Amino acid sequence: MTWDEFCELHIPTPAAIVVEAYAGSGGLGTLYAAPVTVTPCVIEDTRRLVRVQTQDAAGAEQLSSTTVWAPLATTAPPDSRVTLPDGRVTRVLAASRVTAAGHDLPEHLELNLE
């Protein structure tokens, strides 16, 4: 089962988000790719402690206020800018590929947002 098929069967009102993928930084500040609408998504506003990558090997923990489950093909590396359906603009703290591992849930991308 694909992510789209799963959402069609189990999510009555999937959400859409707008992602501006982080593309690095330059002389004028942070650079982002053009905005892309991503759907179908599932959004959960629940606080979680997540481990994020840092410049050193130790990493860090940050509080994520929103988790988004999106199609696996979504491009949203850490520091990407995300606009949620309510208009809130936030940033990707961590992005993880979730595999099916023999379960009925299809592969998808989990985004932990600020």
Side-chain angles (χ1 to χ4, degrees):
M1 174 180 302
T2 68
W3 178 252
D4 288 343
E5 291 168 342
F6 174 82
C7 287
E8 187 176 316
L9 287 172
H10 301 288
I11 311 299
T13 54
I17 61 172
V18 176
V19 176
E20 296 169 80
Y22 176 75
S25 59
L28 299 175
T30 306
L31 303 173
Y32 298 99
V36 175
T37 300
V38 177
T39 192
C41 296
V42 178
I43 300 172
E44 180 181 57
D45 288 322
T46 300
R47 292 183 178 195
R48 291 186 171 94
L49 198 58
V50 296
R51 182 163 296 278
V52 297
Q53 288 184 321
T54 58
Q55 296 299 324
D56 60 14
E61 290 182 339
Q62 287 189 336
L63 189 62
S64 168
S65 63
T66 303
T67 302
V68 173
W69 293 279
L72 190 57
T74 303
T75 301
D79 291 325
S80 295
R81 193 163 40 197
V82 176
T83 304
L84 298 170
D86 63 5
R88 188 170 33 132
V89 178
T90 185
R91 182 176 69 91
V92 175
L93 296 174
S96 305
R97 179 184 177 139
V98 180
T99 60
H103 298 284
D104 289 339
L105 191 63
E107 292 185 323
H108 58 281
L109 188 69
E110 179 177 308
L111 303 174
N112 297 108
L113 309 178
E114 284 184 314

